[in-house]
Every structure is written in structure tokens, then in C-alpha cells.
């Protein structure tokens, strides 16, 4: 990362800090302030959407650890979310307190993720993608057969003390608390030994091995960590929507998550935020627009296009990004920052 | 004993379809290194196109099969030209994600074009059994699948052993850069690989329409074919065929012997995937694949 002219990192701590400059501090504080103030300025529909975005960001951050940092393509991310979702729903229905249920959700998901990540010790890149694709089918099947996925599970309403988290502002803060914690976790991870090992493996795994990195261990652990976050996100999803249902964790959703990572720029937290906002926004807007098209042109087009158009739009956007901007929105953001810094002599 | 016979014959028929569709997957993988994860949607697209030509336009059945396979060839070339060629030189992961996006795109297009209902395909063969063996019956549909698979595999093997283009393709699969320096036009061969991939996908789908009907859930057939290709390894078509038959038979055996102990669903939905994960853990290069040494 290049620093502006005249700014030096004088200590190692300063070099490794997450927030390195005053501008960083201002931006971070501003962003958190926006998140806190947001619920009081928007309608309940938008608030619910923002909660969904928070959960999605958390899930995408999990995928970012596995695919973005460590370079292990995972196509079955929602399968691991489903594990978390159903663990939470089952345990909460049995009467377990929510913090324990949430942690169990993360751990179970992490366990299943580790299991499906195990082939990564022996097989490379694309074969691994197929293992995760298999996970998508196997996990859904097992959940439907043995963990109440056939009818879905409605967990009891979550309460903190005497406050019931049913929706609206409470749920928004609850979810975004986890999103911000997850963001901090992932940012922190990227500057530790583990994070550096992940990036080395992503860039060239044989070279990383030659440098003495235990690539099998780190590849599997990227699944453990990514799936832990996914499990928590799955549990939050259940809390948000009020029901655990395998229909919410299909392969299309997994591809959407992958798309968010690609559109945002793999391996960057800011990129994950951009990607999630863009794809979730596109899904929302295209759903509204196609609903409007079906309503006004009801005699010309069949009603089924309202569910197909968002899929097509998102798929097309993912393709366009891979063709035109493979490094994602984060690259544009970096270029923008560069040009802002060099103004009025910016060359981008 | 009867139960075993009952499950082996349909199992072989299913396995043949997986192996047939797997040919395309392997060709694309070997020539360009890309995993075509849109295979499942391509299979359904083939079925729908066959339905539209056969039932919609009311053409002769065999003519409509030939036309659909022709459309498949074109479609494959189109994918290669439009989506894969701009990605030469990019990481493979980008190309794989594009095939995933293509799968989503096709899913949307298919649901707009044909809806989500079960469609009854035009019948290729009479419904009566072809012959019976130890109490188990083989229908004409299943028999036809086996015959077609045998023909296509025979043609493929001859193509790769005898024809100039087939041998060039083998060279490309061995080493892309070297074969390019020897004057082989790699991009054209990749194009042909995609064309073959789509047309065998179409054909495999069309052959089972009479057994399963046409529905979006047929996407699983294509994805299981990918699993079969992985299990067989990427080195020989014989290995692919054996893996296909193995998966088909084990799947049918599972339906016969394990399903009574499972709740509502059927083990057949996941057998191929469980086998694939198992094989990847034990023999990472597939049952008949070779380990290739890689250098930094």
C-alpha cells in the first residue's frame, strides 16, 4: 500500500495498524456514526433491507477469508450458513440461551466446513470448488432428512434481558454489532501470521510451501474460520427472517455470495462492503422493477419473469465485472483515493 | 437377488448418461483447464430446445434430435467465443466463476422461456420393455441410452486415436504452450471442445427426457456428470465410462438397499457427491487419473 508523500511509518506498530492515518480514523468514525444514525432516518422497509445487508456482509466476509484471502474457491458457502442456521434454530427451540446457541452455530458450521475443506490438503484449486459444490447438495440433504429442514424450524424470539429482539431498530443494531465485530476480526486476521500465510498460498501455493508454510493446515483453517463466520451469519439470518428454511440456502445464493466477492474485489474488506451493497441493491431494485413490469404489462409477459429477472441481472453484472474490472470495485476505490491525493495532478 | 438385478439395469442406463455428458466436461477441462460448472443448465437447455423443436414445431423426432444437437454445437462455439476467449491469460478461477454466472443466467432465461412446469417430451421409443433379464426389465429408452453411449464413446475414441484434429487435441491437453509452438491452433480446438461439450450435454439430456420428463431439477444430471468425471480422473475415456457405470449402479443399489432406512428423501440425490468427496480424499486425481508433478 502506498502512502502519501511525506507520511512515514516510524514504528512497526504504526505500519501494521488497521487505521493508519487521521483520514482513516475520520472515515471509520464517520462510517460507524452513519450506521448508528441510519435507523432514525429511514422507513421500516429500508431498515429491514439494511439489516439484511449487514448479515450478508458478515457472510461475505467469511467467504472472503476462504476465497479472497486464501484463494480456495468455495461454491458451497450457503451450505455452511445453513448448518449455522439450523444449529441455531434447533438449539434455540430446545431452550438454549441465545449466546450459546449462536456460538454453537458458528462451531458446528466451522466443523462441517473443516470436514469439506479437508480434501484441500491433497487436491488443488478447482477440484476443491467441486468438493464445496458437493457440500451444497450433501448438507441440504442431511438437513432435510435429519434436522427438520423439510418443514423448516421457527425458533423462539430472541430476548436480551427483558428486551425482545423482534425486528426494526433492535434487530438492526443486533446484526450490525456482529457485522462490525466480524469486520474487525477479518481486518485483524489479514495482518497476522495466519493472514500473511493465506495471501502467500493464494498467490502461489507451491512457492508458499517452499517458504516453509504448512499449506495443508492453512488451507483447511481458512475453511474453519470462513465457515465459523458463515455459521454466525446463518444464525443471524434465521433471527432476521424468523424461520430456518433450506430454501434460503440454495446454490444460487452461494453464487451470489461469490459474485459479491468478485464484484467488490477479492481479498479486501472494503471491497466486500462495496460488493454486498451493489449486489443486494441490484437484487432489490430489479425485483421492484420486474414486479412493476409484470403489473403494467400483465397481458404481455408472464408473471414468472419477476423471479427470473433479478437472477439474470446479477449474473450479467458478475460477468461484466470479470471482463471489465476483474479487481472489482475496490480497485476503483483505490484509484479514486490515489487521484484525490494527487489532485490537481492526478493521472487517473 | 432380484433386487440387485432390478437396480443394476437402470443404474447402468443412468451411468451411461453421466459418462456421456462427462465427455464434454473432460474435453473442456483438458483443452483449456476450465471446469464448466454450467453443465447442468446446458443439459436442461438441450431438453427444452428438443421439446420446442419436437413438440412445438412438430418435426420428426430424429430430425429434431439432430437439430438440437446442431444447436448445441453452435451454442458451445458461442460460449467459447463470447465468454471464454476474452479471459485467455486471466486466472482460471475467473473463467470458472464466469461459467457459474452463465449457469445463473441460463437458469433465469430458461425459467422465462419455458416456465417451471414438468413438460412431457415427445416419445422416442415405444413404452413396452425391450427384454427382461432375471425378472428385471429393460425398457427401450434405457436400451437406447446404452446403444447411444456405446456409439458416442466409440466415435470419440476413434476421433482421438485416428483423426488429425483429435490427436492435436490430445497434444493440447498435454501441454498448451508446446502444442501452440508446434503450430496447433489452440483457440480453435478449445472452441471445438466447447461445441462437443454442449452437444453431448444436449444429447444426454434428450435421451433421458423420456424417463424423467423435462424439468429444472434435471440440472442434477449435469452436475452428477461432473462428479463422475472427477471420479474417473481426466486421463481416459474408458475410465470415464467405468466411473459412470460405477456411480450409476451404486446409486441404484443405494436406492434399493439404503432408502428404506432414510426418512422422506432418496439417497440417490447425494450418492454421486459422497462418492466424489470420498475419491478426492483417497485418490485426489480420480480412480484412473495420473498425478502430475508441478513446478513453481
Amino acid at each position: 500500500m502506498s502512502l502519501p508523500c511525506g507520511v512515514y511509518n516510524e514504528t512497526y506498530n504504526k505500519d501494521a495498524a488497521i487505521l493508519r492515518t487521521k483520514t482513516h480514523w475520520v472515515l471509520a468514525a464517520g462510517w460507524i456514526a452513519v450506521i448508528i444514525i441510519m435507523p432514525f432516518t429511514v422507513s421500516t422497509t429500508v431498515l429491514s433491507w439494511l439489516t439484511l445487508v449487514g448479515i450478508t456482509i458478515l457472510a461475505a466476509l467469511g467467504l472472503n477469508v476462504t476465497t479472497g484471502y486464501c484463494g480456495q474457491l468455495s461454491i458451497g458457502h450457503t451450505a455452511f450458513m445453513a448448518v449455522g442456521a439450523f444449529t441455531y434454530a434447533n438449539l434455540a427451540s430446545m431452550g438454549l440461551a441465545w449466546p450459546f446457541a449462536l456460538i454453537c452455530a458458528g462451531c458446528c458450521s466451522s466443523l462441517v466446513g473443516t470436514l469439506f475443506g479437508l480434501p484441500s490438503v491433497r487436491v488443488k484449486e478447482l477440484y476443491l470448488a467441486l468438493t464445496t459444490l458437493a457440500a451444497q447438495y450433501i448438507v441440504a440433504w442431511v438437513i432435510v432428512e435429519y434436522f427438520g429442514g423439510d418443514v423448516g424450524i421457527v425458533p423462539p424470539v430472541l430476548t436480551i434481558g427483558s428486551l425482545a429482539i423482534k425486528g426494526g431498530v433492535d434487530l438492526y443494531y443486533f446484526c450490525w454489532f456482529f457485522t462490525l465485530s466480524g469486520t474487525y476480526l477479518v481486518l485483524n486476521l489479514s495482518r497476522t501470521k495466519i493472514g500473511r500465510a493465506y495471501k502467500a498460498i493464494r498467490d502461489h501455493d507451491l512457492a508458499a510451501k517452499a517458504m516453509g508454510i504448512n499449506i495443508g493446515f492453512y488451507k483447511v483453517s481458512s475453511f474453519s474460520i470462513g465457515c465459523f463466520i458463515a455459521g454466525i451469519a446463518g444464525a443471524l439470518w434465521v433471527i432476521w427472517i424468523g424461520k430456518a428454511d433450506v430454501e434460503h440456502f440454495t446454490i444460487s445464493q452461494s453464487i451470489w455470495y461469490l459474485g459479491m466477492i468478485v464484484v467488490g474485489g477479492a481479498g479486501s474488506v472494503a471491497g466486500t462492503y462495496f460488493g454486498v451493497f451493489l449486489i443486494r441493491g441490484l437484487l432489490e431494485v430489479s425485483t421492484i422493477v420486474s414486479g412493476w413490469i409484470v403489473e403494467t404489462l400483465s397481458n404481455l409477459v408472464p408473471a414468472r419473469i419477476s423471479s427470473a429477472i433479478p437472477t439474470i441481472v446479477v449474473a450479467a453484472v458478475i460477468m461484466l465485472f470479470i471482463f471489465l474490472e476483474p479487481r472489482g470495485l475496490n480497485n476503483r476505490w483505490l484509484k479514486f483515493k490515489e487521484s484525490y491525493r494527487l489532485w490537481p495532478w492526478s493521472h487517473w | 437377488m432380484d433386487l440387485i438385478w432390478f437396480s443394476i439395469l437402470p443404474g447402468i442406463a443412468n451411468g451411461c448418461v453421466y459418462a456421456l455428458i462427462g465427455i464434454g466436461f473432460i474435453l473442456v477441462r483438458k483443452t483449456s483447464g476450465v471446469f464448466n460448472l454450467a453443465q447442468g443448465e446446458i443439459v436442461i437447455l438441450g431438453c427444452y430446445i428438443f421439446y420446442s423443436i419436437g413438440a412445438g414445431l412438430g418435426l420428426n423426432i430424429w430430425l429434431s434430435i439432430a437439430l438440437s444437437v446442431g444447436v448445441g454445437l453452435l451454442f458451445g462455439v458461442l460460449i467459447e467465443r463470447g465468454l471464454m476467449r476474452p479471459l485467455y491469460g486471466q486466472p482460471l478461477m475467473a473463467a470458472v466463476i464466469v461459467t457459474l454466472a452463465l449457469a445463473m443466467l441460463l437458469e433465469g432465461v430458461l425459467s422465462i422461456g419455458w416456465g417451471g412446469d414438468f413438460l412431457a417430451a415427445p416419445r422416442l421409443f415405444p413404452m413396452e420393455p425391450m427384454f427382461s433379464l432375471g425378472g428385471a426389465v429393460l425398457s427401450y429408452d434405457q436400451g437406447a441410452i446404452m446403444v447411444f453411449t456405446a456409439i458416442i464413446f466409440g466415435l470419440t475414441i476413434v476421433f482421438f486415436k485416428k483423426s488429425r484434429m483429435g490427436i492435436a487435441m490430445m497434444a493440447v491437453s498435454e501441454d498448451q504452450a508446446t502444442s501452440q509452438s508446434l503450430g496447433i491452433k489452440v483457440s480453435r480446438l478449445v472452441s471445438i471442445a466447447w461445441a462437443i461439450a454442449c452437444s453431448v450435454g444436449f444429447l444426454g439430456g434428450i435421451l433421458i427426457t423420456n424417463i424423467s420428463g423435462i424439468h429444472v431439477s434435471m440440472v442434477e444430471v449435469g452436475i452428477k456428470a461432473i462428479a463422475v468425471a472427477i471420479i474417473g480422473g481426466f486421463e481416459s475415456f474408458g475410465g470415464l465410462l467405468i466411473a459412470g457405470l460405477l456411480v450409476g449402479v451404486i446409486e441404484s443399489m443405494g436406492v434399493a438397499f439404503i432408502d428404506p432406512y432414510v426418512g422422506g428423501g432418496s439417497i440417490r440425490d447425494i450418492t454421486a457427491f459422497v462418492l466424489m468427496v470420498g475419491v478426492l480424499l483417497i485418490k485426489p486425481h480420480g480412480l484412473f487419473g495420473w498425478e502430475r508433478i508441478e513446478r513453481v
Side-chain angles (χ1 to χ4, degrees):
Chain A
M1 193 186 287
S2 58
L3 283 173
C5 186
V7 177
Y8 304 109
N9 290 323
E10 283 140 357
T11 59
Y12 180 71
N13 278 342
K14 206 176 166 191
D15 189 35
I18 293 176
L19 299 170
R20 288 147 45 116
T21 57
K22 283 195 184 109
T23 327
H24 278 164
W25 278 100
V26 170
L27 277 177
W31 177 231
I32 289 175
V34 165
I35 289 171
I36 290 173
I37 296 168
M38 207 47 136
F40 305 107
T41 57
V42 295
S43 66
T44 38
T45 332
V46 179
L47 191 63
S48 173
W49 182 77
L50 284 172
T51 314
L52 172 67
V53 166
I55 298 169
T56 315
I57 288 175
L58 188 60
L61 282 172
L63 184 62
N64 199 10
V65 171
T66 317
T67 304
Y69 283 150
C70 197
Q72 309 299 307
L73 186 60
S74 166
I75 313 176
H77 197 62
T78 51
F80 305 123
M81 282 176 76
V83 173
F86 275 85
T87 312
Y88 173 81
N90 276 310
L91 290 178
S93 306
M94 285 175 200
L96 198 69
W98 69 268
F100 300 109
L102 210 58
I103 290 171
C104 284
C107 291
C108 272
S109 178
S110 179
L111 203 68
V112 174
T114 312
L115 204 67
F116 281 101
L118 271 184
S120 64
V121 178
R122 303 198 56 185
V123 302
K124 288 199 54 170
E125 27 150 18
L126 297 179
Y127 288 90
L128 194 66
L130 291 175
T131 326
T132 54
L133 184 72
Q136 186 84 52
Y137 287 94
I138 296 172
V139 164
W141 189 84
V142 170
I143 286 176
V144 166
E145 290 299 324
Y146 299 106
F147 295 99
D150 45 350
V151 284
I153 300 173
V154 180
V157 173
L158 189 153
T159 52
I160 301 174
S162 58
L163 179 69
I165 309 277
K166 266 189 286 198
V169 182
D170 300 336
L171 187 61
Y172 171 86
Y173 282 137
F174 185 76
C175 290
W176 271 94
F177 167 73
F178 285 98
T179 308
L180 291 179
S181 317
T183 310
Y184 179 70
L185 178 86
V186 173
L187 277 174
N188 219 354
L189 185 76
S190 70
R191 60 191 188 131
T192 59
K193 182 187 171 188
I194 305 175
R196 287 192 296 272
Y198 286 170
K199 285 175 185 166
I201 290 172
R202 173 192 63 192
D203 292 342
H204 202 303
D205 61 345
L206 282 179
K209 195 176 181 181
M211 280 161 57
I213 295 170
N214 182 352
I215 57 172
F217 171 78
Y218 281 110
K219 280 180 181 175
V220 176
S221 76
S222 80
F223 273 91
S224 312
I225 296 174
C227 294
F228 182 83
I229 299 175
I232 302 275
L236 290 178
W237 177 282
V238 171
I239 296 168
W240 175 70
I241 212 162
K243 186 186 180 190
D245 191 339
V246 277
E247 289 297 309
H248 300 146
F249 304 105
T250 58
I251 183 148
S252 307
Q253 314 263 347
S254 288
I255 302 175
W256 288 353
Y257 281 107
L258 207 55
M260 290 165 195
I261 299 286
V262 169
V263 165
S268 77
V269 170
T272 309
Y273 273 74
F274 294 139
V276 170
F277 269 102
L278 183 72
I279 298 275
R280 278 282 172 218
L282 272 176
L283 281 170
E284 200 61 33
V285 169
S286 57
T287 307
I288 293 168
V289 169
S290 59
W292 176 80
I293 290 175
V294 167
E295 219 167 81
T296 45
L297 302 171
S298 54
N299 44 356
L300 287 178
V301 293
R304 58 176 183 259
I305 72 157
S306 61
S307 63
I309 283 185
T311 317
I312 294 178
V313 168
V314 171
V317 167
I318 295 173
M319 281 187 188
L320 285 179
F321 262 92
I322 289 183
F323 289 136
L324 303 177
E325 180 56 288
R327 291 175 183 194
L329 287 171
N330 188 49
N331 192 32
R332 295 278 149 169
W333 168 239
L334 293 179
K335 280 182 179 174
F336 167 75
K337 283 203 291 192
E338 190 79 9
S339 99
Y340 165 79
R341 206 167 61 217
L342 297 176
W343 189 85
W345 289 284
S346 44
H347 47 270
W348 266 314
Chain B
M1 205 53 210
D2 276 1
L3 204 51
I4 293 181
W5 275 117
F6 265 117
S7 44
I8 281 183
L9 281 179
I12 290 178
N14 279 337
C16 284
V17 173
Y18 300 151
L20 192 59
I21 301 170
I23 293 179
F25 184 76
I26 287 191
L27 281 183
V28 169
R29 163 72 182 172
K30 289 292 279 181
T31 47
S32 64
V34 175
F35 275 9
N36 171 20
L37 297 179
Q39 191 80 328
E41 272 74 14
I42 288 172
V43 170
I44 320 180
L45 177 69
C47 298
Y48 279 133
I49 287 177
F50 170 63
Y51 175 83
S52 288
I53 297 177
L57 300 178
L59 287 181
N60 177 292
I61 295 293
W62 297 102
L63 188 64
S64 41
I65 290 184
L67 275 177
S68 328
V69 172
V71 173
L73 288 170
L74 273 181
F75 188 66
V77 174
L78 209 67
I79 292 179
E80 201 276 333
R81 287 282 155 133
L83 299 180
M84 292 295 132
R85 197 159 286 191
L87 290 176
Y88 277 6
Q90 298 272 356
L92 281 182
M93 205 198 263
V96 175
I97 293 174
V98 166
T99 65
L100 278 173
L102 174 70
M104 263 174 85
L105 196 73
L106 283 178
E107 192 190 309
V109 170
L110 291 176
S111 94
I112 287 182
W114 285 276
D117 303 329
F118 262 100
L119 300 174
R123 284 221 70 81
L124 301 174
F125 305 101
M127 281 281 268
E128 62 236 35
M130 195 155 85
F131 67 89
S132 55
L133 184 72
V137 283
L138 187 73
S139 70
Y140 271 101
D141 295 324
Q142 290 165 340
I145 288 173
M146 295 180 194
V147 171
F148 263 97
T149 310
I151 294 173
I152 300 284
F153 264 87
L155 284 179
T156 318
I157 289 169
V158 170
F159 175 71
F160 281 101
K161 284 261 151 64
K162 299 289 175 198
S163 81
R164 209 180 151 77
M165 190 184 282
I167 293 168
M169 226 177 226
M170 289 299 227
V172 171
S173 74
E174 203 60 43
D175 192 325
Q176 225 177 20
T178 311
S179 43
Q180 197 150 22
S181 71
L182 289 171
I184 296 172
K185 206 163 183 186
V186 174
S187 56
R188 183 191 289 161
L189 290 180
V190 174
S191 221
I192 291 166
W194 271 95
I196 297 177
C198 287
S199 53
V200 292
F202 277 25
L203 185 66
I206 291 166
L207 286 176
I208 47 167
T209 48
N210 279 178
I211 299 174
S212 64
I214 303 177
H215 187 245
V216 192
S217 61
M218 278 175 72
V219 65
E220 286 222 346
V221 178
I223 300 198
K224 282 180 190 169
I226 297 177
V228 164
I230 300 285
I231 291 172
F234 289 107
E235 302 304 336
S236 68
F237 291 102
L240 172 70
L241 188 59
I242 294 171
L245 297 181
L246 212 62
V247 169
V249 170
I250 292 177
E251 200 175 80
S252 301
M253 292 280 187
V255 171
F257 292 105
I258 301 177
D259 267 9
Y261 306 104
V262 175
S266 166
I267 190 96
R268 91 174 306 144
D269 295 339
I270 59 165
T271 317
F273 303 117
V274 173
L275 285 175
M276 180 183 83
V277 174
V279 166
L280 280 181
L281 274 174
I282 298 160
K283 273 188 74 94
H285 298 274
L287 292 181
F288 306 99
W290 306 330
E291 186 166 353
R292 286 174 189 275
I293 294 170
E294 207 184 335
R295 294 189 176 83
V296 176

